[in-house]
Structures are given as structure tokens and as C-alpha cells.
Amino acid sequence: MAAFLLKRFMQSMVLLVIVSIIGFVVLNLIPGGPMAQYALDPGMTQDDKNRIAAQLGLDRPLWVQYFDWAWRLLQGDWGTSFRDSNPVVSVIARHVPATLLLMGCATVIAVALGTVIGIRGATHRNSAFDYMATVGSMVALSIPTFWFGLVGIYFFSLRLGWLPAGNMYTIGDGSVLNYLHHLVMPSVVLALVHIAIWSRFMRTATIEAMGQEFVKTARAKGLTERRVVMKHVVGNALLPMITLAGVQLPSLLTGALVTETVFTWPGMGRLFLDSLSNSDYPVVMGLLMFSAVLTIVGNLVADIVVAMVDPRIRLA
């Protein structure tokens, strides 16, 4: 187990280094580069630009800038925002809770509904419910997330007035119910695609588990079909789904970026787009590294849980 964890940790460190190099190089190769925001000031002379570039260390070779940035990152210094001169860590920290809240609620909804739909689709194959679930999954996977968000705003906010169209809370009302009221629509919209993915995988895993010999033995002992499914099938079908939960984390972050933009949710996705449009590259790199760490940790935790639950992986 210790060797398994050490191997996964070393692989994660190598992946983080690769992500940081690619992200740093791509951002600095974008036309205009980090100095693009200063070029918009009509009163900014070339001497002023050169002086600012020297102060920010942007006049040095790219590889020197990268190693300087990486060394400071290892020391806990994520840099300073070009936009408001605040530390990148504090800028990101203000937006992390909103994104984690949205992702957490969307994950709970996706896992709960996806598991139920997948199990029922597997136990009632070729039924009307199974066909409807399949069609619904294809629709959810084919239509962009922002479209569902706009449709939800149109019907539930503009036409019916049941839910707010955006923001995290109503100004002047910081109650829990108000937060939940604003959370309903963005979390459901973000969860739609993941419900489709989870239900399809859960259906396949359940069908595969139902064909195993131990299930046939349980039926031969006279157990009811419901008891066979709940006690013997579901537990084994959920094992590969734990890994899927870790793999889905990057798509959750990507979906959160779109969802937060549609619903003006003050999370990391909204911060990423604002920072990118304002050429605030220290914040963009900070968000990139934070997202990479979050994704790697999610996959690592999923691997650990699977290894703890499944003796075959632990013994291997």
C-alpha cells in the first residue's frame, strides 16, 4: 500500500511540473503577453512600459522567469495580481468557497440521481424507463451547459419567478435559505451532464456485476431479487464508480467555469475569465495550479479509497 501511494505521489508531482511548464509558456506566448493591459493606456510611453517590465521581471528570458516563479511558488509566494496588486493567494481564497459549494452540491445531485437511474435502468433493461433514461442522457451530453443555464433562467426566473437568475445571494439577506435559493438552479445545471455520465456508467457496471457467479449463487440460495441487487450487486458496481468520481473532477471544474459565468456566480471560474480578459497572468497561473492540484488530489483520494475497499488492488 505504501509503495502504491508513493508511486502515485511521484507521478502526480511530475504531472504538476508538466502542467506548470505548459501553462506558463502558453500564457507568455499569447499576443501582447502580460504587458497587454498596460498597452491599453494611451498615456503609457515605451519607456514606461520598459520600466514596468523590468520591475515585474518580464524583461528576462522566459526560462529564467519560469524558474523564478516556480521557486517562489514552492516557498508559498504565488505572486501579486497585476489588476489590484493583492497577493494571488488571497484573491483565489476569496473565490474558492463559492466554487467548492457549487461543485459539492452538483456532485451530490449527480451521484444520487445518476446511481438511482443507472441501477433502475440495469434492472429494467429495454423498458420504457431505460429508453427514456438513454435518450435523456444523450440530450444532456449533446447540448452545451450554457444553453441549459439560459433556458433555466428564462423559464424559472423570467417566466415563473421561482428562482433567482444569478448571483450567490441577495444583497442584505445573508440567510441560509437565501443561499440555497440561489444555489438550486446553477447546481442542477452543472449536475445535468454528470448525471448522464454517472447513470450510463452505473448502468453498465450494474449489468456487469449482475452477470457474476456470486450473484447467481445468491439467487440460488433463494434471496429476493431486491436483496440480491442491494446487498451483492450495488456494492460491487460502485467500485469502478469511485474512480469515475475522481476522473470527473476536471470536467466539474470546466463546467463550473461556464455555469458561474451564466449565473454570475462569484467562484474560480468567473475569476479565471475575468483575469484572462484583463491579462492578469499571475492569478491565471495560480488558478491553473490550484485546479491541477485539486484534480490530482481528487484522483489520488479516489485511488486510495478504491485500494482500501478492493483487496485485489491493495494486494497487487
Side-chain angles (χ1 to χ4, degrees), residues 15-16 25 27 30 77 88 99 119 123 136 177 181 191 241 245 257 271 273 281 284 289:
L15 182 59
L16 274 179
V25 171
L27 282 178
I30 294 177
D77 180 9
V88 171
T99 295
I119 293 174
T123 56
L177 288 178
H181 195 212
M241 306 306 292
L257 187 150
L271 176 63
L273 288 179
Y281 292 166
V284 174
M289 295 307 298

Side-chain angles (χ1 to χ4, degrees), residues 41-63:
D41 187 352
M44 186 75 66
T45 64
Q46 187 60 43
D47 291 337
D48 294 333
K49 296 177 184 178
N50 294 336
R51 184 175 65 258
I52 293 174
Q55 292 174 349
L56 298 176
L58 301 175
D59 56 341
R60 298 172 298 173
L62 187 59
W63 66 272

Side-chain angles (χ1 to χ4, degrees), residues 85-266:
S85 300
N86 288 325
V88 171
V89 173
S90 64
V91 174
I92 295 177
R94 291 198 300 265
H95 295 78
V96 168
T99 295
L100 293 183
L101 176 63
L102 180 61
M103 288 176 56
C105 291
T107 301
V108 171
I109 294 172
V111 171
L113 292 181
T115 300
V116 172
I117 294 172
I119 293 174
R120 182 167 178 81
T123 56
H124 297 75
R125 275 179 286 178
N126 301 323
S127 64
F129 178 87
D130 191 25
Y131 286 125
M132 288 176 60
T134 301
V135 173
S137 297
M138 295 301 103
V139 171
L141 291 170
S142 302
I143 298 178
T145 302
F146 73 86
W147 188 86
F148 285 116
L150 295 176
V151 170
I153 290 173
Y154 176 75
F155 281 105
F156 296 105
S157 297
L158 299 180
R159 297 295 298 272
L160 300 176
W162 291 352
L163 298 170
N167 295 320
M168 190 175 178
Y169 59 92
T170 302
I171 297 176
D173 186 356
S175 64
V176 176
L177 288 178
N178 186 256
Y179 276 91
L180 293 176
H181 195 212
H182 285 76
L183 182 62
V184 171
M185 192 153 53
S187 59
V188 170
V189 169
L190 179 58
L192 281 176
V193 173
H194 303 283
I195 292 173
I197 296 173
W198 191 275
S199 64
R200 292 293 89 193
F201 274 92
M202 190 65 197
R203 180 182 183 275
T204 303
T206 302
I207 291 174
E208 183 178 349
M210 290 174 67
Q212 299 297 319
E213 293 298 327
F214 62 85
V215 175
K216 297 178 182 178
T217 302
R219 286 172 176 157
K221 290 180 178 180
L223 296 178
T224 62
E225 187 66 19
R226 179 182 177 82
R227 186 171 177 80
V228 169
V229 172
M230 298 306 297
K231 186 175 180 179
H232 298 280
V233 174
V234 174
N236 286 274
L238 283 174
L239 283 176
M241 306 306 292
I242 298 174
T243 304
L244 177 64
V247 174
Q248 278 193 293
L249 190 55
S251 59
L252 266 172
L253 285 169
T254 304
L257 187 150
V258 178
T259 306
E260 289 176 0
T261 303
V262 173
F263 292 99
T264 60
W265 189 265

